[in-house]
Amino acid sequence: MNQSMRHGAVCVSLSLFVFLFLLSITPLTLAQSTLPSPLPLLLGTAWYPEQWPESRWDADLALMQQSRVHMVRLAEFAWSRLEPDEGNYDLDWLDRAITAAARHNIYTVIGTPTAAPPAWLTQKYPETLRMNENGRRDQHGNRQQFNFANPKYRELARKIAEQLAKRFGHNPYVLGWQIDNEYAVASFDPETKTQFQQWLKARYITLDNLNTRWTTAYWSESYTSWDQIPIQVGYGNPGLLLSWMRFVSDTWRSYQRNQLEVLRANSDPIKFITTNTMGWFDGYDHYTVEQDLDLAAWDDYVGEGHLDPVMNGFAHDLTRGFKQKNFWVIETQPGSVNWAGVNNVLDKGEVRAMAWHDVGHGADAVSYWQWRSALNGQEQYHGTLVGPDGVPVPLYAEVAQVGREFEKAGPALAGTSVKSEVALLHSYDSRWAINWQRHNKNFDPNTQLASYYAALRPIAQSIDVLPPTANLSSYKLVVAPGLNVLSDAAAKNLADYIRSGGHLVLGQRSALKDDDNGLQPDRQPGPLGALLGGRVEQYYALNKPVPIEGTWGTGESPFWAELLSAREKDTDVLLRYGMSNGWLDGQPAALTRKVGKGRITYIGAWLDPKTMETAVKWMAASSGVTTPLPNVPTGVEVSVRRGAHGPVFILVNLSKQPQTITLPSPMNDVLEGASKSSVELPIYGVAILAQPQ
Ligand code: GLA
């Protein structure tokens, strides 16, 4: 070997060394320099790298990248991998998974793994297992078997959350945190019961006060010591039932705070903290729990059947109302679930339609659960985006289309949010209170809420669902279909709203109860009766519908009828009952009264869909509510998001036929990149329309 050859060899080995060195640092450096800012509309999926050999990760991530997945949620059930024995943490694999994802332009959301404690934990500390209502401890083998109030469980949950936060709180590829997974089941163990009794003491201060508010003179329920107070669920003293649910809500809040504190303390402030909720689920008061979070996120599953834009749309709007800003769909079904009666797959095109329906209601991310089924484990049959062989399933292409469209429409939707003229009031207290004493088994408070929502949504094209104490000053119309429990604070908020020029519409069973789930001493609508200049004389559970007639046409009220009386000269009767049980014959069924510039309306009948349609038109017209994009055929859902460049309309054809929509003026079809005066939508077709720039 001559000099120059030697020199060449040195050069080669040096470059090889440099190359190898670069290769060794490439993952982080490359990703750091190339990972663009998170997109305005994020497509995501739940990925469980701990279930697969590391050698497979890159192939999965490449397929995700191909479908424009830009977010994965990791680790929310991986406690036994993250802490195989007490205090022995192994976070390296998660670090590698996050970095591997980043190499594919994919950000991570880390779930704290506390919904699935490892076997060593519950074996060593059996008190951390929840106890059911019949006094039986749960066991290892499923999830959510932990006791949400147990101090030992909280200590261990905080430690693992802290480890994660310290390791990843400043990682540039981590967007945020999800605490636990779907808070759901309370524990009924003696220790939790003691905490409940202490909670009651803090709320009611004296037993005299509690006994009075719960009217415990009834059935000898009076308490002379706090530790006599039982836990009741389903059937019991209404004050006790409501208190238990409020305690459960506060306990979930403190359960969450326990982890939230260490996540916040160890993370960049830009990283959000959320948890995943379940739409209509009412196992705790979400307004209580969500107040500490940065972002609302929910798990949107159709289950059996097909997308119901009313029930699903309401759940979106309810979730958006938790933080009153855009939210995430952090889980949704790739085609089918595994837990419904019939786990049918959504139609071809329906998953895409649903993704845009989500965005229309204010979702900024849609994330599919899950990427790929574990080969074994409880959810083998659930819908996925790749099969057990790691090869895309037919739906993958449709989700990839959503990914491409999210990228394309992202700039038009960046910075936009939902702004509504109509608010619909929702309260967990009221839903619980009605469900505990339905009085007519067919009186479903959710159906009642949905009946107003279904009719109003096509007119307003966006509705905010809010708690009764929310700031209502920006709304032209506020509808409270079943505000059964009315606290003094909520009553004042509503009265102020009316007096300052708003239109409040109250539906059946409103204001029957006070804040302790006791009867209001005044007839409905209790403290709002003076403003209405009228009241409910009597309510009737119905075993057959009662005819109704008046300003909103003729129809019938099934399930329930409230006999109203106008007690002031300027209180107008809008609707009357026809001949039925004698009591109701010819009596008022709906009243309205102008109060200064405002108005209050009380509807004592359960309106059939046709009458409801006329009634909501009246509500909108008398409140100045406008339809942003008029003359859209029934079955085409229109949603509006607004930003600096005007409204962006999201149209989804959920009807059973193709539809043509004529636009009032030409608009830019964002997905097609063309100016349009009318839009043709096939079944499940989607159009995103923005103002011409
Ligand atoms: C829930 C859970 C997920 C998964 C899905 C299945 O939403 O959060 O872990 O079990 O249901 O539909």
Short mmCIF file of all heavy atoms in Angstrom, two decimals, residues 367-408:
data_model
loop_
_atom_site.label_atom_id
_atom_site.label_comp_id
_atom_site.label_asym_id
_atom_site.label_seq_id
_atom_site.Cartn_x
_atom_site.Cartn_y
_atom_site.Cartn_z
N SER A 367 -58.34 10.98 15.94
CA SER A 367 -57.34 9.93 16.15
C SER A 367 -58.01 8.56 16.25
O SER A 367 -58.94 8.38 17.04
CB SER A 367 -56.56 10.25 17.43
OG SER A 367 -55.55 9.30 17.62
N TYR A 368 -57.55 7.65 15.43
CA TYR A 368 -58.22 6.34 15.33
C TYR A 368 -57.69 5.36 16.37
O TYR A 368 -56.47 5.22 16.56
CB TYR A 368 -58.06 5.77 13.91
CG TYR A 368 -58.88 6.60 12.96
CD1 TYR A 368 -58.33 7.70 12.31
CD2 TYR A 368 -60.24 6.35 12.81
CE1 TYR A 368 -59.11 8.52 11.52
CE2 TYR A 368 -61.03 7.15 12.01
CZ TYR A 368 -60.46 8.24 11.37
OH TYR A 368 -61.25 9.05 10.60
N TRP A 369 -58.66 4.71 17.02
CA TRP A 369 -58.30 3.65 17.97
C TRP A 369 -58.65 2.34 17.33
O TRP A 369 -59.79 2.07 17.14
CB TRP A 369 -59.04 3.80 19.30
CG TRP A 369 -58.39 2.95 20.35
CD1 TRP A 369 -57.45 3.34 21.26
CD2 TRP A 369 -58.57 1.54 20.55
NE1 TRP A 369 -57.04 2.25 22.00
CE2 TRP A 369 -57.71 1.14 21.59
CE3 TRP A 369 -59.38 0.57 19.95
CZ2 TRP A 369 -57.63 -0.18 22.04
CZ3 TRP A 369 -59.30 -0.75 20.39
CH2 TRP A 369 -58.43 -1.10 21.43
N GLN A 370 -57.76 1.51 17.04
CA GLN A 370 -56.34 1.65 17.20
C GLN A 370 -55.65 1.30 15.89
O GLN A 370 -56.29 0.88 14.94
CB GLN A 370 -55.85 0.72 18.31
CG GLN A 370 -56.15 -0.75 18.02
CD GLN A 370 -55.55 -1.68 19.08
OE1 GLN A 370 -54.51 -1.41 19.64
NE2 GLN A 370 -56.21 -2.78 19.32
N TRP A 371 -54.34 1.47 15.92
CA TRP A 371 -53.56 1.22 14.70
C TRP A 371 -53.63 -0.25 14.31
O TRP A 371 -53.95 -0.60 13.19
CB TRP A 371 -52.11 1.67 14.95
CG TRP A 371 -51.19 1.34 13.83
CD1 TRP A 371 -50.18 0.43 13.85
CD2 TRP A 371 -51.20 1.90 12.52
NE1 TRP A 371 -49.56 0.40 12.62
CE2 TRP A 371 -50.17 1.30 11.78
CE3 TRP A 371 -51.99 2.87 11.90
CZ2 TRP A 371 -49.91 1.62 10.45
CZ3 TRP A 371 -51.73 3.21 10.58
CH2 TRP A 371 -50.70 2.57 9.87
N ARG A 372 -53.36 -1.11 15.28
CA ARG A 372 -53.25 -2.54 14.99
C ARG A 372 -53.61 -3.32 16.25
O ARG A 372 -53.20 -2.93 17.35
CB ARG A 372 -51.81 -2.83 14.59
CG ARG A 372 -51.53 -4.23 14.18
CD ARG A 372 -50.06 -4.33 13.77
NE ARG A 372 -49.74 -5.69 13.36
CZ ARG A 372 -48.53 -6.09 13.03
NH1 ARG A 372 -47.53 -5.23 13.04
NH2 ARG A 372 -48.30 -7.34 12.68
N SER A 373 -54.37 -4.39 16.11
CA SER A 373 -54.74 -5.19 17.28
C SER A 373 -53.55 -5.94 17.82
O SER A 373 -52.78 -6.54 17.04
CB SER A 373 -55.79 -6.24 16.91
OG SER A 373 -57.01 -5.65 16.69
N ALA A 374 -53.46 -6.00 19.14
CA ALA A 374 -52.50 -6.92 19.75
C ALA A 374 -52.93 -8.33 19.34
O ALA A 374 -54.12 -8.59 19.15
CB ALA A 374 -52.55 -6.78 21.26
N LEU A 375 -51.96 -9.21 19.18
CA LEU A 375 -52.33 -10.55 18.71
C LEU A 375 -53.20 -11.26 19.74
O LEU A 375 -54.08 -12.05 19.39
CB LEU A 375 -51.07 -11.36 18.38
CG LEU A 375 -50.28 -10.80 17.19
CD1 LEU A 375 -49.05 -11.65 16.90
CD2 LEU A 375 -51.15 -10.69 15.93
N ASN A 376 -52.96 -10.97 21.00
CA ASN A 376 -53.85 -11.50 22.02
C ASN A 376 -54.32 -10.33 22.88
O ASN A 376 -53.88 -9.21 22.70
CB ASN A 376 -53.14 -12.57 22.85
CG ASN A 376 -54.10 -13.70 23.19
OD1 ASN A 376 -55.28 -13.44 23.46
ND2 ASN A 376 -53.62 -14.92 23.16
N GLY A 377 -55.22 -10.59 23.81
CA GLY A 377 -55.76 -9.49 24.59
C GLY A 377 -57.24 -9.34 24.27
O GLY A 377 -57.74 -9.87 23.27
N GLN A 378 -57.94 -8.54 25.11
CA GLN A 378 -59.40 -8.52 25.09
C GLN A 378 -60.04 -7.91 23.83
O GLN A 378 -61.23 -8.08 23.63
CB GLN A 378 -59.90 -7.76 26.32
CG GLN A 378 -59.97 -8.59 27.59
CD GLN A 378 -58.66 -8.64 28.37
OE1 GLN A 378 -57.58 -8.61 27.77
NE2 GLN A 378 -58.74 -8.73 29.68
N GLU A 379 -59.29 -7.16 23.05
CA GLU A 379 -59.95 -6.39 21.99
C GLU A 379 -59.53 -6.83 20.59
O GLU A 379 -59.41 -6.02 19.68
CB GLU A 379 -59.69 -4.90 22.22
CG GLU A 379 -60.32 -4.42 23.52
CD GLU A 379 -59.94 -2.99 23.87
OE1 GLU A 379 -58.75 -2.74 24.08
OE2 GLU A 379 -60.84 -2.13 23.92
N GLN A 380 -59.34 -8.12 20.42
CA GLN A 380 -58.82 -8.64 19.15
C GLN A 380 -59.68 -8.29 17.94
O GLN A 380 -59.18 -8.15 16.84
CB GLN A 380 -58.67 -10.16 19.24
CG GLN A 380 -57.58 -10.61 20.17
CD GLN A 380 -57.71 -12.08 20.50
OE1 GLN A 380 -58.77 -12.54 20.92
NE2 GLN A 380 -56.64 -12.83 20.33
N TYR A 381 -61.01 -8.21 18.17
CA TYR A 381 -61.92 -8.00 17.04
C TYR A 381 -62.15 -6.53 16.68
O TYR A 381 -62.89 -6.23 15.76
CB TYR A 381 -63.28 -8.63 17.35
CG TYR A 381 -63.36 -10.11 17.07
CD1 TYR A 381 -62.97 -11.05 18.02
CD2 TYR A 381 -63.86 -10.58 15.86
CE1 TYR A 381 -63.06 -12.40 17.77
CE2 TYR A 381 -63.95 -11.93 15.60
CZ TYR A 381 -63.55 -12.84 16.55
OH TYR A 381 -63.65 -14.18 16.29
N HIS A 382 -61.57 -5.62 17.45
CA HIS A 382 -61.85 -4.19 17.21
C HIS A 382 -61.31 -3.75 15.85
O HIS A 382 -60.31 -4.28 15.37
CB HIS A 382 -61.21 -3.37 18.32
CG HIS A 382 -61.81 -2.01 18.49
ND1 HIS A 382 -61.53 -0.97 17.64
CD2 HIS A 382 -62.70 -1.52 19.38
CE1 HIS A 382 -62.21 0.10 18.02
NE2 HIS A 382 -62.94 -0.20 19.08
N GLY A 383 -61.93 -2.75 15.26
CA GLY A 383 -61.46 -2.17 14.01
C GLY A 383 -60.05 -1.61 14.16
O GLY A 383 -59.68 -1.10 15.22
N THR A 384 -59.25 -1.72 13.10
CA THR A 384 -57.87 -1.22 13.10
C THR A 384 -57.57 -0.65 11.70
O THR A 384 -58.39 -0.77 10.79
CB THR A 384 -56.87 -2.38 13.34
OG1 THR A 384 -57.11 -3.38 12.34
CG2 THR A 384 -57.00 -2.97 14.73
N LEU A 385 -56.39 -0.11 11.56
CA LEU A 385 -55.98 0.40 10.24
C LEU A 385 -55.06 -0.56 9.51
O LEU A 385 -54.93 -0.51 8.29
CB LEU A 385 -55.34 1.78 10.37
CG LEU A 385 -56.34 2.84 10.85
CD1 LEU A 385 -55.64 4.16 11.10
CD2 LEU A 385 -57.46 3.03 9.85
N VAL A 386 -54.37 -1.42 10.26
CA VAL A 386 -53.63 -2.52 9.61
C VAL A 386 -54.06 -3.82 10.27
O VAL A 386 -54.52 -3.82 11.41
CB VAL A 386 -52.09 -2.36 9.70
CG1 VAL A 386 -51.61 -1.13 8.96
CG2 VAL A 386 -51.62 -2.33 11.13
N GLY A 387 -53.90 -4.90 9.55
CA GLY A 387 -54.32 -6.21 10.06
C GLY A 387 -53.26 -6.83 10.95
O GLY A 387 -52.18 -6.25 11.15
N PRO A 388 -53.55 -8.02 11.48
CA PRO A 388 -52.56 -8.71 12.32
C PRO A 388 -51.27 -9.00 11.56
O PRO A 388 -50.20 -9.15 12.16
CB PRO A 388 -53.27 -10.01 12.73
CG PRO A 388 -54.45 -10.13 11.85
CD PRO A 388 -54.80 -8.77 11.36
N ASP A 389 -51.37 -9.01 10.22
CA ASP A 389 -50.18 -9.23 9.39
C ASP A 389 -49.38 -7.95 9.17
O ASP A 389 -48.35 -7.95 8.49
CB ASP A 389 -50.61 -9.81 8.02
CG ASP A 389 -51.65 -8.93 7.33
OD1 ASP A 389 -52.11 -7.93 7.94
OD2 ASP A 389 -52.02 -9.24 6.18
N GLY A 390 -49.90 -6.83 9.71
CA GLY A 390 -49.17 -5.57 9.55
C GLY A 390 -49.40 -4.91 8.20
O GLY A 390 -48.75 -3.93 7.86
N VAL A 391 -50.36 -5.41 7.44
CA VAL A 391 -50.66 -4.87 6.11
C VAL A 391 -51.97 -4.08 6.21
O VAL A 391 -52.89 -4.50 6.91
CB VAL A 391 -50.77 -6.03 5.08
CG1 VAL A 391 -51.18 -5.52 3.72
CG2 VAL A 391 -49.46 -6.78 5.01
N PRO A 392 -52.06 -2.93 5.52
CA PRO A 392 -53.28 -2.12 5.62
C PRO A 392 -54.56 -2.90 5.33
O PRO A 392 -54.59 -3.74 4.42
CB PRO A 392 -53.06 -1.02 4.56
CG PRO A 392 -51.58 -0.86 4.52
CD PRO A 392 -51.02 -2.24 4.73
N VAL A 393 -55.62 -2.58 6.09
CA VAL A 393 -56.95 -3.14 5.81
C VAL A 393 -57.62 -2.19 4.81
O VAL A 393 -57.11 -1.09 4.56
CB VAL A 393 -57.78 -3.27 7.11
CG1 VAL A 393 -57.09 -4.20 8.10
CG2 VAL A 393 -58.03 -1.90 7.75
N PRO A 394 -58.77 -2.59 4.21
CA PRO A 394 -59.38 -1.72 3.18
C PRO A 394 -59.61 -0.28 3.65
O PRO A 394 -59.47 0.66 2.88
CB PRO A 394 -60.70 -2.43 2.88
CG PRO A 394 -60.43 -3.88 3.20
CD PRO A 394 -59.46 -3.88 4.34
N LEU A 395 -59.97 -0.09 4.94
CA LEU A 395 -60.28 1.27 5.41
C LEU A 395 -59.06 2.19 5.40
O LEU A 395 -59.20 3.42 5.38
CB LEU A 395 -60.86 1.19 6.83
CG LEU A 395 -61.26 2.52 7.45
CD1 LEU A 395 -62.48 3.10 6.73
CD2 LEU A 395 -61.55 2.38 8.93
N TYR A 396 -57.87 1.63 5.43
CA TYR A 396 -56.64 2.43 5.49
C TYR A 396 -56.65 3.51 4.41
O TYR A 396 -56.30 4.67 4.65
CB TYR A 396 -55.44 1.50 5.34
CG TYR A 396 -54.11 2.19 5.23
CD1 TYR A 396 -53.32 2.43 6.35
CD2 TYR A 396 -53.61 2.59 3.98
CE1 TYR A 396 -52.08 3.05 6.24
CE2 TYR A 396 -52.38 3.21 3.87
CZ TYR A 396 -51.61 3.44 5.00
OH TYR A 396 -50.40 4.05 4.88
N ALA A 397 -57.08 3.15 3.20
CA ALA A 397 -57.04 4.10 2.09
C ALA A 397 -57.97 5.29 2.36
O ALA A 397 -57.64 6.44 2.04
CB ALA A 397 -57.45 3.40 0.79
N GLU A 398 -59.12 5.00 2.98
CA GLU A 398 -60.07 6.09 3.28
C GLU A 398 -59.48 7.03 4.34
O GLU A 398 -59.61 8.25 4.25
CB GLU A 398 -61.39 5.49 3.74
CG GLU A 398 -62.48 6.54 3.92
CD GLU A 398 -63.84 5.90 4.19
OE1 GLU A 398 -64.17 4.87 3.56
OE2 GLU A 398 -64.58 6.45 5.04
N VAL A 399 -58.84 6.44 5.33
CA VAL A 399 -58.23 7.27 6.38
C VAL A 399 -57.06 8.07 5.78
O VAL A 399 -56.84 9.23 6.13
CB VAL A 399 -57.81 6.40 7.58
CG1 VAL A 399 -56.95 7.18 8.56
CG2 VAL A 399 -59.07 5.86 8.28
N ALA A 400 -56.34 7.46 4.85
CA ALA A 400 -55.25 8.19 4.18
C ALA A 400 -55.82 9.37 3.41
O ALA A 400 -55.21 10.44 3.33
CB ALA A 400 -54.48 7.25 3.26
N GLN A 401 -57.02 9.19 2.85
CA GLN A 401 -57.67 10.31 2.16
C GLN A 401 -57.98 11.43 3.16
O GLN A 401 -57.74 12.61 2.89
CB GLN A 401 -58.97 9.83 1.48
CG GLN A 401 -59.65 10.94 0.70
CD GLN A 401 -60.98 10.50 0.09
OE1 GLN A 401 -61.34 9.32 0.16
NE2 GLN A 401 -61.70 11.44 -0.48
N VAL A 402 -58.48 11.04 4.32
CA VAL A 402 -58.74 12.04 5.37
C VAL A 402 -57.43 12.77 5.69
O VAL A 402 -57.41 14.00 5.81
CB VAL A 402 -59.32 11.38 6.65
CG1 VAL A 402 -59.42 12.39 7.79
CG2 VAL A 402 -60.68 10.74 6.38
N GLY A 403 -56.35 12.00 5.79
CA GLY A 403 -55.05 12.60 6.10
C GLY A 403 -54.63 13.63 5.05
O GLY A 403 -54.21 14.74 5.39
N ARG A 404 -54.82 13.27 3.80
CA ARG A 404 -54.45 14.21 2.72
C ARG A 404 -55.34 15.45 2.79
O ARG A 404 -54.89 16.58 2.63
CB ARG A 404 -54.62 13.55 1.34
CG ARG A 404 -53.54 12.54 1.01
CD ARG A 404 -53.58 12.17 -0.49
NE ARG A 404 -54.85 11.62 -0.94
CZ ARG A 404 -55.23 10.35 -0.80
NH1 ARG A 404 -54.44 9.47 -0.17
NH2 ARG A 404 -56.40 9.92 -1.25
N GLU A 405 -56.61 15.22 3.04
CA GLU A 405 -57.55 16.35 3.09
C GLU A 405 -57.30 17.25 4.30
O GLU A 405 -57.44 18.47 4.21
CB GLU A 405 -58.99 15.82 3.09
CG GLU A 405 -59.34 15.19 1.75
CD GLU A 405 -60.74 14.57 1.73
OE1 GLU A 405 -61.36 14.41 2.80
OE2 GLU A 405 -61.20 14.24 0.63
N PHE A 406 -56.93 16.63 5.42
CA PHE A 406 -56.60 17.46 6.59
C PHE A 406 -55.42 18.37 6.27
O PHE A 406 -55.39 19.53 6.66
CB PHE A 406 -56.25 16.57 7.80
CG PHE A 406 -57.45 16.12 8.61
CD1 PHE A 406 -58.74 16.26 8.12
CD2 PHE A 406 -57.29 15.58 9.88
CE1 PHE A 406 -59.84 15.85 8.86
CE2 PHE A 406 -58.38 15.17 10.64
CZ PHE A 406 -59.65 15.30 10.13
N GLU A 407 -54.45 17.83 5.55
CA GLU A 407 -53.30 18.66 5.19
C GLU A 407 -53.72 19.79 4.26
O GLU A 407 -53.29 20.92 4.38
CB GLU A 407 -52.22 17.80 4.52
CG GLU A 407 -51.50 16.93 5.52
CD GLU A 407 -50.25 16.24 4.95
OE1 GLU A 407 -49.94 16.43 3.75
OE2 GLU A 407 -49.61 15.52 5.72
N LYS A 408 -54.61 19.44 3.34
CA LYS A 408 -55.02 20.43 2.34
C LYS A 408 -55.89 21.52 2.96
O LYS A 408 -55.72 22.71 2.67
CB LYS A 408 -55.79 19.70 1.23
CG LYS A 408 -56.04 20.54 0.04
CD LYS A 408 -56.28 19.69 -1.19
CE LYS A 408 -56.23 20.58 -2.42
NZ LYS A 408 -56.72 19.89 -3.59
#
